Amino acid sequence: AGFALTCAFASVSSHRGFSHSFAALALEAFSLWLIFPAAAVPFVIAFASHLILDMTNKRPVRIFYPAKKGISFGWFYADRLANKVCAAIGSLWLITEVLFLLRQH
């Protein structure tokens, strides 16, 4: 229910608004922890890294929602080459890590 409420509220707020806030992170992580506790910490790490990466874009992220001012490091445009290169490198790193972990089992 907490996850559904968070998603519903996020759907009526602007992108990088409530859905990209510490409040959403806390509500979703708590909801997940109630259902599947082992997934809560990896979820928090993934969500937090997503927020940090989004803050490198030119468009501000309202991590302290409902505060109007967001945070933007202003390094990249979301649809340009540098952002796509960083996404590709991150994806390759993730795939490598997953394959490494699967190989250990």
Side-chain angles (χ1 to χ4, degrees), residues 64-78:
F64 298 110
Y65 189 90
K68 298 288 183 198
K69 186 160 176 67
I71 296 174
S72 170
F73 302 143
W75 298 343
F76 304 110
Y77 287 100

Side-chain angles (χ1 to χ4, degrees), residues 11-99:
S11 71
V12 296
S13 70
S14 64
H15 183 69
R16 294 191 181 142
F18 175 73
S19 66
H20 285 62
S21 69
F22 288 137
L25 168 61
L27 289 169
E28 290 179 16
F30 181 70
S31 299
L32 182 60
W33 177 78
L34 290 173
I35 299 166
F36 188 35
V41 170
F43 175 82
V44 168
I45 292 168
F47 197 117
S49 65
H50 177 92
L51 294 179
I52 291 166
L53 288 172
D54 267 4
M55 286 189 290
T56 65
N57 285 297
K58 301 272 184 182
R59 188 170 176 208
V61 178
R62 293 174 60 190
I63 61 171
F64 298 110
Y65 189 90
K68 298 288 183 198
K69 186 160 176 67
I71 296 174
S72 170
F73 302 143
W75 298 343
F76 304 110
Y77 287 100
D79 60 345
R80 302 250 174 102
L81 180 62
N83 193 59
K84 291 176 182 178
V85 168
C86 288
I89 291 169
S91 296
L92 288 173
W93 179 36
L94 175 63
I95 291 166
T96 303
E97 288 290 327
V98 168
L99 291 174

